[in-house]
Amino acid sequence: MALSRTNDGATDGPRKRAKYDTSSNEVSPAIAKELRSIRASLSSSNPQNVTSALYALAQRLVVREDEHPLSPEDSRVLLAGAWSQASPGLPEVFDMWARCTPKEASAPISVLVRALSLLNLDQDTHPSGSIIIKSLVLSSNIHRLTSYFGSTEKNLCFWTCRLFGAVSEFSDGQFRKEVFDVFPWGHNALWPMLSMRRKDANAEGHGLTNPPDIRTTLVLLILSFIHPSTHTSIKLSLLDKGDAFSSIFRDIGKDSYALARRILDVSWEGIWGDTRIPFGTKIAAFGDQVLTSISNLYGRYEEEGPKGEPSIADIAHHFLIALCTRPGSGVCFKSRGWYPRNFDTRHHHFVAPDDHHANRRQENALFNRVLPAFIKKLKPNDDSRQQELVLKIFEAAPELIPGFWLTSNMTLEPRLSSRWITNIALATKIVALPSPVWSFRSTTARSASSSTAPPPYVHSPPPIQFILDSIVPGTLSKAALIKGLRSSSAVVRHLTASLLAHSIKKVGEIAEEMKRASEALEEDESTGSWAVGRKELLKDVSGRIPELAEVARMLDLEGGGKRAGETVEGGKNKKQKGKAKPSTIDPSRQDGTTTSTAAAPSTLVHEVASRLMWYYHRYLPHAVAESYVGVRNIIAPLLEGDESQKGATERGLLPLRTVSQLHGLRLLEELESYDWSVKIGVFSTNANSNSIKLTN
């Protein structure tokens, strides 16, 4: 039966076999002859002959990575077992080691490493391996071994790490505590060894042990101390040693596929899967620098895993998703939505001792303190995986969005460039994330109540400024939005209007939830905290977005240019005090496109402008009431007649025009008083007949 073996050469469990006995017939004549030759060579009085014999023996016991799993009848397994039975503790190797210079010490150490690896494959050879380990750990040999970490001989440092690792992995970690206690954690030369790797360490086809390097062996040794089979006390001791654990993540982006995956797998199962490790200790181990180091693996998206395995970029992505986007798990703390950490929902104020603690108040406002620094180092516009990670983080921790607008250095000033297009698209996706209206209700009552009824609303809404900063990017001013709506580029107009539409819709939905909270708490309309907060929200958002006239101007242009007629309120025949300013957009398409080629983007802009106009009337009626835009001029480009339908059909754009007209019908539904018999714009028919045609 074959041995089940992991990538680093460790077996899932030792296999039961008959004991080795050199005096019995179990040892084949060939093995017995080879064993006699080995012992004779090691007992030579010539040191050079002994050294040569050790190197030859080390090569004889080599097991390549592609040879796993080994058969129990493999000659190397049989030889190691027979030798350890014939010479318990391998004293001849230790004697030779004691007489070696540091430059020659790698020969006996390499023999011990390979002998222990082979003896670890079988339970019946574990006693023989234990004798070897006790001769190493419980004697002066361990001090000689630890002194090699300061050696300039890289080969000696390599085999020193390998021997510590072999002892730590032996017999499912039986001697792991002893190895941890004697390991020189405070040695100055220890951590620079984590940078000693092969130049082609991440080349395709390289695994953990073939060929290995110093960094790989040292990382595997450290990982053995947090392995799921390791006792929690050892894990805690390692995590308490400062950077001893986090240092293995430095330059993980340059590691081989097998090593990088091993680091992530063992870290997740050994640390986050161990419920006995305090949550605060886990958070301290995975700071923003560790997360940033892991995110460097995103750059290897083109590298495929071996034999159909996922790429290392995908593995790192799922690791970070699990670590950063699940509230109450990983480094993502449960928050209160838009309520800052130091905000008292009962008395509607921030909890701070005095004005001298303003900086401390700002620091204590967030539940999640690790993620903001990490998010700033991601590149969501360069990689779809990183963008997905950022969006999921913001959905899990919406408190981070206002700070992101201020620190991300995103260029949102409207301009026709690829950078701006990607930035505004990301901003739109962030704004379109679900609102944390669940935070408006009491979390204490939710956890204490066993009924299916929703928990009651809290006494006060979140800070209005915090809500607005989450929905309308602080780096995108009102003047910039107007500039985007007036741009000569249809792409810029469409993306600007789309962001604005998502912002207004989100504000409207929040205002409706705040109204329900006010009604549920039976507040007074003039003094209730929810009622006053709702009015403040709608008022403040109107100061951050363009007036309705700007949307009407864009809608009029995309509908076919300026139409004749005064700006008159439909049904009242009253002239308004003012008119919309002339549009700065050139209807003749300054970008050089013809009418036919510009039809598609123009129709797209017309649809989003129609939707935006509907949102203004539905969610911001006070802004509509304060504008000087006539209803007839709004309805005219929305409820277009047969000629427009025919032109759109010829260009294959009828579905988009139909959606725009549906927005127009929804807008009419929001109008409280409107005379449907009044003719609109330049059409010879009234709005009633036009709307009937649209519904047929």
Side-chain angles (χ1 to χ4, degrees):
M1 185 180 294
L3 293 175
S4 177
R5 181 178 296 272
T6 57
N7 288 337
D8 62 340
T11 59
D12 293 339
R15 181 173 302 280
K16 189 74 172 179
R17 286 199 297 110
K19 293 183 178 180
Y20 293 99
D21 186 357
T22 55
S23 63
S24 68
N25 295 327
E26 292 186 15
V27 179
S28 66
I31 295 296
K33 180 180 179 180
E34 186 175 6
L35 181 58
R36 290 193 297 270
S37 175
I38 291 173
R39 301 186 68 181
S41 301
L42 295 180
S43 61
S44 173
S45 59
N46 189 334
Q48 294 183 352
N49 293 340
V50 175
T51 302
S52 301
L54 286 173
Y55 278 118
L57 179 58
Q59 291 298 319
R60 174 69 177 87
L61 300 178
V62 167
V63 179
R64 296 191 305 272
E65 190 174 19
D66 57 0
E67 292 182 297
H68 296 311
L70 284 182
S71 168
E73 303 303 323
D74 188 276
S75 61
R76 290 162 292 187
V77 177
L78 297 176
L79 177 60
W83 184 23
S84 63
Q85 289 288 326
S87 181
L90 306 185
E92 56 268 42
V93 178
F94 284 99
D95 291 342
M96 179 58 191
W97 182 13
R99 297 195 300 268
C100 284
T101 63
K103 188 175 183 180
E104 301 169 336
S106 58
I109 295 177
S110 64
V111 171
L112 292 175
V113 169
R114 285 163 176 164
L116 287 174
S117 299
L118 292 170
L119 294 175
N120 191 36
L121 300 180
D122 199 296
Q123 279 187 344
D124 287 333
T125 57
H126 282 182
S128 299
S130 299
I131 297 175
I132 299 174
I133 293 175
K134 291 177 182 178
S135 300
L136 172 66
V137 177
L138 304 179
S139 67
S140 60
N141 292 318
I142 192 64
H143 301 292
R144 184 185 304 115
L145 184 65
T146 55
S147 66
Y148 294 152
F149 280 110
S151 174
T152 57
E153 295 290 335
K154 293 184 178 181
N155 193 46
L156 182 58
C157 294
F158 167 75
W159 284 111
T160 301
C161 292
R162 285 288 299 272
L163 184 54
F164 271 107
V167 176
S168 180
E169 292 289 346
F170 191 82
S171 188
D172 292 332
Q174 178 182 352
F175 299 94
R176 193 162 289 164
K177 180 66 168 62
E178 289 77 2
V179 174
F180 183 86
D181 291 339
V182 300
F183 192 76
W185 296 105
H187 203 294
N188 294 330
L190 184 63
W191 307 119
M193 294 169 60
L194 286 171
S195 301
M196 298 180 181
R197 55 158 56 88
R198 298 186 315 273
K199 294 183 178 180
D200 59 341
N202 61 348
E204 184 178 358
H206 288 291
L208 290 173
T209 59
N210 188 31
D213 54 23
I214 296 178
R215 171 178 167 81
T216 300
T217 55
L218 184 55
V219 167
L220 291 178
L221 173 61
I222 297 175
L223 288 178
S224 70
F225 298 128
I226 61 167
H227 192 272
S229 63
T230 303
H231 195 273
T232 304
S233 61
I234 301 178
K235 299 178 184 178
L236 292 174
S237 299
L238 176 65
L239 297 178
D240 288 341
K241 290 186 178 297
D243 295 337
F245 170 72
S246 60
S247 59
I248 67 176
F249 290 93
R250 296 171 186 169
D251 291 334
I252 189 177
K254 299 178 182 178
D255 286 331
S256 66
Y257 176 94
L259 181 59
R261 181 165 186 174
R262 177 78 169 176
I263 292 174
L264 298 180
D265 290 344
V266 176
S267 299
W268 180 260
E269 297 174 5
I271 295 181
W272 294 103
D274 192 339
T275 57
R276 292 167 294 183
I277 299 178
F279 188 66
T281 304
K282 296 177 181 179
I283 295 295
F286 285 84
D288 62 281
Q289 293 182 351
V290 172
L291 298 179
T292 302
S293 298
I294 297 174
S295 68
N296 291 333
L297 292 171
Y298 278 122
R300 292 165 59 178
Y301 58 90
E302 295 181 350
E303 179 183 337
E304 297 181 359
K307 298 180 180 178
E309 294 291 327
S311 67
I312 193 61
D314 285 333
I315 294 174
H317 176 60
H318 291 297
F319 182 89
L320 292 173
I321 288 288
L323 201 62
C324 303
T325 65
R326 299 177 181 177
S329 176
V331 298
C332 183
F333 286 82
K334 291 182 178 179
S335 64
R336 295 192 299 171
W338 283 327
Y339 288 95
R341 183 179 184 180
N342 56 349
F343 187 79
D344 187 349
T345 57
R346 178 173 289 276
H347 299 94
H348 198 70
H349 67 80
F350 287 94
V351 179
D354 49 55
D355 293 339
H356 297 287
H357 294 76
N359 293 333
R360 183 183 302 175
R361 184 183 71 182
Q362 183 69 21
E363 295 175 359
N364 295 336
L366 297 177
F367 287 88
N368 292 276
R369 304 182 187 181
V370 176
L371 293 175
F374 171 54
I375 293 174
K376 288 192 298 184
K377 299 175 183 178
L378 292 175
K379 300 178 181 179
N381 287 333
D382 297 341
D383 184 6
S384 60
R385 298 180 186 87
Q386 297 186 56
Q387 185 173 118
E388 180 187 6
L389 176 62
V390 169
L391 294 176
K392 285 184 177 292
I393 290 176
F394 286 149
E395 186 174 359
E399 61 172 353
L400 304 179
I401 297 178
F404 174 76
W405 298 131
L406 300 177
T407 60
S408 62
N409 297 323
M410 290 180 61
T411 304
L412 296 179
E413 186 71 18
R415 65 189 68 180
L416 187 58
S417 67
S418 59
R419 180 178 179 84
W420 179 84
I421 290 174
T422 55
N423 286 342
I424 200 70
L426 175 61
T428 302
K429 291 180 180 179
I430 295 175
V431 171
L433 290 173
S435 303
V437 293
W438 50 265
S439 63
F440 294 176
R441 297 182 179 271
S442 174
T443 55
T444 305
R446 182 185 295 111
S447 59
S449 176
S450 58
S451 62
T452 57
Y457 288 95
V458 296
H459 293 274
S460 59
I464 302 303
Q465 189 68 26
F466 197 89
I467 297 178
L468 287 176
D469 291 342
S470 300
I471 299 175
V472 182
T475 54
L476 189 58
S477 63
K478 180 178 180 178
L481 288 171
I482 294 175
K483 180 181 178 181
L485 296 179
R486 293 183 175 185
S487 173
S488 59
S489 169
V491 174
V492 175
R493 295 197 303 274
H494 177 270
L495 293 176
T496 305
S498 181
L499 173 63
L500 186 57
H502 280 91
S503 298
I504 294 176
K505 181 182 179 182
K506 196 168 187 176
V507 168
E509 292 173 346
I510 295 168
E512 292 175 354
E513 186 67 22
M514 295 175 72
K515 182 178 181 180
R516 286 191 287 269
S518 178
E519 294 173 350
L521 296 174
E522 299 180 352
E523 291 184 338
D524 184 84
E525 283 292 331
S526 57
T527 60
S529 59
W530 284 99
V532 173
R534 178 176 179 272
K535 295 176 183 178
E536 182 182 351
L537 174 65
L538 295 176
K539 179 181 178 181
D540 290 352
V541 76
S542 299
R544 291 195 178 193
I545 62 176
E547 289 78 8
L548 184 66
E550 296 295 337
V551 183
R553 178 183 296 107
M554 183 175 67
L555 183 64
D556 181 63
L557 175 65
E558 301 301 334
K562 300 178 183 179
R563 292 178 173 84
E566 294 179 274
T567 306
V568 182
E569 279 295 332
K572 297 183 180 181
N573 293 328
K574 294 181 180 180
K575 295 185 178 181
Q576 296 294 327
K577 297 180 181 180
K579 299 182 180 179
K581 297 180 181 180
S583 173
T584 59
I585 308 173
D586 186 358
S588 62
R589 306 288 174 187
Q590 297 179 4
D591 54 5
T593 58
T594 63
T595 303
S596 59
T597 58
S602 177
T603 306
L604 286 171
V605 177
H606 186 272
E607 185 278 327
V608 72
S610 305
R611 175 157 40 96
L612 188 56
M613 183 64 71
W614 170 41
Y615 286 167
Y616 265 90
H617 282 77
R618 178 176 179 179
Y619 300 118
L620 304 175
H622 64 285
V624 176
E626 296 173 357
S627 68
Y628 298 112
V629 179
V631 174
R632 290 194 303 176
N633 289 65
I634 296 174
I635 301 301
L638 292 176
L639 303 181
E640 294 174 325
D642 297 336
E643 294 80 3
S644 176
Q645 294 274 21
K646 181 179 179 181
T649 303
E650 293 175 352
R651 294 190 296 268
L653 303 175
L654 180 59
L656 283 175
R657 285 295 184 184
T658 303
V659 173
S660 300
Q661 292 163 349
L662 288 175
H663 294 327
L665 293 175
R666 296 187 182 102
L667 188 153
L668 291 175
E669 187 180 4
E670 301 296 332
L671 300 178
E672 296 181 358
S673 59
Y674 180 73
D675 188 354
W676 290 75
S677 63
V678 176
K679 295 180 180 180
I680 56 176
V682 297
F683 298 122
S684 60
T685 56
N686 56 34
N688 186 36
S689 60
N690 273 35
S691 61
I692 292 176
K693 289 181 179 179
L694 292 177
T695 56
N696 290 336

